[in-house]
């Protein structure tokens, strides 16, 4: 498996050789490609000598490594090309001068220029399992601003069923590394704060958990010199003592120009509104015994619960179970849509609650304004598929000035029984 990974990286390196360039420290995978102006083997030696006469000892050492790398590439040139290069001594002298200049520029780039990082692909058939937040579209929504800290979510697990013996299971995580990159994959020199993890370990690695990785980046870090799009690169490795496995993900996030790169700010230009604080509670339900919920009292309503504020029922199929919610008294529901409306950064969801994401508030709680929405309806479908979604509910007597009759809620835990019914934990917010 490891050999397949090496071959895949090698193949990808050739395919991307003319797309990436630069340098990195030993912990980063780097592809460096140089194209000197056709030097022969003897020319290389001359170029090294010329280069060392112009550069100090440290720069010369770096340049020698570049020439050595280039020499291996030149050995593959056809003999006819070499003869053409040797046919004119003046041409060779020009080549030597140009090569020396090229070497000096390359050395300067390694010392002063930005670091270009080549992102290796995840190994085929890896035993490292990613949560859905780290796959596909999930990557676009798993960074959230909490105060001035950008926090990240997602879970790395191990598929131990694919690496077991008759006596013991050996696969364990061995390391995790983080880097902040700009859109051109250049390393950004900002501090990445995270909790230390004791390796090796077979425990899942949770990026957002304070009991696990707890990764965050401050948007006020002086290493940020501009606003715009960035990526957090997370590389996790595992081993069973014989084979090594690696998985790398890029989590995009944005440093908002309106917040961190504005020249002036006037509070008078911002519409003022009265914030309505909300309190939260939790209630246990089940789709067969007590499927109803009364929002105002935060209590479960026994079956059939036909007049409850909201009634949860099982749906879907055995292979694709689902939950549907309907109203028994005219209350309407809808998903929050913070990510689609200004300021766009407060797109809360399960485990990214307003009171957690804004600890600097006084009091540190959720407000009605935290739960924006576009449209409401009488039915919610696909609640298991969208298990992290937060919803709002509004009664017919909803008062926007006081928050009365307005609620926010989400499923924080769903456990399916053998009969297909679900036991649910619901978190509810209501105005104080």
């Amino acid at each position: 498996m490891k050999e397949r990974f090496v071959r895949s990286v090698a193949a990808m390196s050739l395919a991307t050789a003319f797309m990436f360039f630069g340098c990195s420290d030993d912990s980063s995978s780097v592809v460096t490609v140089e194209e000197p102006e056709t030097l022969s083997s003897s020319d290389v030696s001359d170029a090294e000598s010329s280069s060392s006469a112009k550069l100090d000892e440290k720069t010369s050492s770096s340049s020698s490594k570049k020439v050595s790398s280039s020499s291996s590439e030149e050995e593959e040139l056809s003999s006819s090309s070499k003869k053409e290069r040797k046919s004119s001594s003046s041409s060779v002298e020009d080549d030597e001068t140009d090569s020396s200049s090229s070497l000096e520029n390359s050395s300067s780039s390694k010392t002063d220029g930005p670091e270009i990082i080549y992102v290796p692909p995840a190994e085929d058939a890896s035993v490292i399992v990613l949560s859905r937040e780290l796959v596909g579209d999930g990557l676009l929504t798993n960074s959230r601003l909490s105060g001035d800290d950008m926090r990240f979510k997602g879970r790395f697990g191990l598929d131990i069923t694919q690496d077991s013996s008759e006596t013991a299971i050996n696969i364990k995580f061995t390391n995790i590394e983080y880097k902040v990159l700009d859109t051109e994959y250049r390393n950004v020199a900002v501090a990445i704060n995270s909790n230390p993890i004791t390796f090796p370990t077979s425990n899942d690695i949770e990026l957002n958990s304070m009991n696990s990785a707890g990764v965050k980046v401050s948007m006020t870090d002086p290493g940020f010199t501009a606003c715009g799009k960035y990526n957090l690169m997370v590389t996790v490795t595992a081993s069973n003592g014989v084979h090594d496995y690696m998985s790398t993900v890029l989590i995009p996030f944005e440093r908002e120009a309106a917040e961190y790169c504005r020249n002036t700010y006037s509070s008078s230009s911002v519409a003022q509104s009265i914030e309505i604080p909300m309190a939260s509670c939790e209630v246990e339900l089940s789709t067969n015994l007590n499927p109803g919920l009364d929002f105002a009292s935060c209590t479960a309503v026994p079956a059939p619960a036909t007049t409850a504020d909201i009634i949860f029922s099982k749906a879907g199929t055995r292979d694709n179970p689902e939950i549907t919610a309907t109203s028994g008294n005219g209350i309407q529901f809808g998903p929050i849509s913070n990510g689609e409306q200004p300021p766009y950064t407060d797109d809360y969801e399960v485990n990214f609650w307003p009171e957690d994401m804004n600890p600097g508030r006084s009091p540190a709680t959720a407000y009605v304004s935290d739960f924006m929405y576009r449209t409401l309806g009488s039915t919610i479908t696909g609640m298991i598929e969208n298990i992290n979604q937060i919803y709002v509910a509004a009664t017919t007597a909803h008062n926007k000035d006081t928050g009365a009759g307005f609620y926010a809620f989400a499923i924080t835990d769903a456990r399916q029984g053998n009969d297909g019914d679900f036991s649910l934990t619901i978190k509810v917010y209501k105005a104080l």
Side-chain angles (χ1 to χ4, degrees):
M1 184 177 295
K2 185 173 183 180
E3 293 176 354
R4 292 200 304 273
F5 171 65
V6 172
R7 288 196 297 269
S8 66
V9 171
M12 187 170 182
S13 298
L14 290 174
T16 58
F18 297 96
M19 298 173 63
F20 295 85
F21 61 93
C23 60
S24 174
D25 55 26
D26 293 340
S27 63
S28 305
S29 300
V30 182
V31 174
T32 305
V33 177
E34 300 258 337
E35 287 192 273
E37 296 190 7
T38 63
L39 294 177
S40 67
S41 299
S42 58
D43 295 334
V44 171
S45 178
D46 293 341
E48 284 182 315
S49 176
S50 174
S51 173
S52 61
K54 295 180 179 181
L55 304 176
D56 59 23
E57 181 177 357
K58 181 177 179 180
T59 307
S60 176
S61 175
S62 174
S63 302
S64 290
K65 294 180 181 179
K66 287 288 184 177
V67 173
S68 176
S69 174
S70 301
S71 176
S72 64
E73 295 177 6
E74 291 170 355
E75 290 176 2
E76 298 177 7
L77 297 175
S78 65
S79 59
S80 59
S81 297
K82 294 181 179 179
K83 291 180 179 179
E84 290 175 2
R85 292 197 301 272
K86 293 181 178 180
S87 61
S88 172
S89 60
S90 61
S91 176
V92 171
E93 292 174 356
D94 290 342
D95 285 346
E96 291 176 347
T97 302
D98 293 343
S99 176
S100 175
S101 175
S102 174
L103 291 172
E104 291 177 355
N105 292 337
S106 174
S107 176
S108 175
S109 176
K110 288 174 72 77
T111 303
D112 304 318
E115 181 180 9
I116 307 294
I117 297 181
Y118 164 69
V119 182
E123 182 176 352
D124 294 339
S126 173
V127 299
I128 300 175
V129 181
L130 307 181
S131 61
R132 69 188 188 94
E133 293 91 350
L134 294 173
V135 179
D137 293 340
L139 289 169
L140 301 177
T141 59
N142 68 347
S143 60
R144 294 289 186 277
L145 194 63
S146 175
D148 288 320
D149 289 334
M150 187 64 68
R151 295 169 58 183
F152 306 88
K153 70 175 182 177
R155 184 183 72 258
F156 293 86
L158 291 171
D159 187 356
I160 60 178
T161 62
Q162 293 193 30
D163 187 71
S164 61
S165 64
E166 295 180 359
T167 58
I169 297 171
N170 302 314
I171 186 73
K172 293 182 183 295
F173 287 114
T174 55
N175 195 32
I176 185 169
E177 293 183 349
Y178 315 98
K179 287 184 181 293
V180 172
L181 312 178
D182 63 15
T183 54
E184 296 181 355
Y185 301 102
R186 292 176 297 196
N187 192 40
V188 182
V190 300
I192 302 171
N193 299 306
S194 64
N195 297 329
I197 298 176
T198 301
F199 293 106
T201 180
S202 57
N203 295 333
D204 287 359
I205 299 176
E206 295 271 2
L207 297 182
N208 186 51
S209 173
M210 293 300 100
N211 296 320
S212 186
V215 186
K216 59 184 179 180
V217 176
S218 174
M219 296 294 95
T220 61
D221 192 294
F224 284 115
T225 58
C227 287
K229 304 290 185 181
Y230 292 91
N231 293 284
L232 176 73
M233 185 174 80
V234 184
T235 301
V236 174
T237 55
S239 177
N240 61 2
V242 178
H243 300 292
D244 295 325
Y245 307 92
M246 177 175 63
S247 183
T248 297
V249 295
L250 287 175
I251 304 175
F253 66 94
E254 184 172 5
R255 189 168 186 255
E256 290 283 347
E259 185 67 24
Y260 298 104
C261 294
R262 56 189 174 185
N263 295 324
T264 59
Y265 177 78
S266 173
S267 59
S268 61
S269 63
V270 179
Q272 302 297 313
S273 61
I274 299 175
E275 292 285 9
I276 304 171
M278 305 183 81
S280 64
C281 59
E282 284 193 343
V283 59
E284 298 290 330
L285 305 176
S286 62
T287 55
N288 55 343
L289 298 178
N290 50 349
L293 171 61
D294 182 271
F295 284 120
S297 62
C298 197
T299 56
V301 180
T306 53
T307 61
D309 290 339
I310 187 170
I311 306 159
F312 298 90
S313 58
K314 65 180 180 180
T317 64
R318 181 175 181 179
D319 296 330
N320 188 26
E322 265 299 348
I323 293 177
T324 296
T326 57
S327 173
N329 57 21
I331 285 184
Q332 292 194 312
F333 324 105
I336 64 170
S337 59
N338 297 41
E340 302 171 7
Q341 302 178 61
Y344 305 107
T345 56
D346 299 327
D347 193 9
Y348 306 114
E349 59 182 56
V350 172
N351 293 326
F352 280 95
W353 310 109
E355 64 269 29
D356 297 330
M357 300 297 288
N358 301 283
R361 286 176 173 176
S362 181
T365 186
Y367 294 89
V368 168
S369 60
D370 287 323
F371 304 107
M372 295 182 285
Y373 62 92
R374 290 193 180 278
T375 58
L376 300 178
S378 59
T379 303
I380 304 175
T381 60
M383 300 187 78
I384 293 297
E385 179 182 355
N386 302 290
I387 194 64
N388 286 334
Q389 179 68 56
I390 298 176
Y391 303 89
V392 298
T395 68
T396 55
H398 173 210
N399 186 322
K400 293 185 178 180
D401 293 328
T402 64
F406 179 81
Y407 308 93
F409 65 98
I411 298 174
T412 60
D413 191 24
R415 307 167 299 280
Q416 188 179 24
N418 294 332
D419 56 0
D421 280 291
F422 284 88
S423 296
L424 305 174
T425 302
I426 310 294
K427 184 172 184 177
V428 178
Y429 290 88
K430 59 180 179 179
L432 294 174

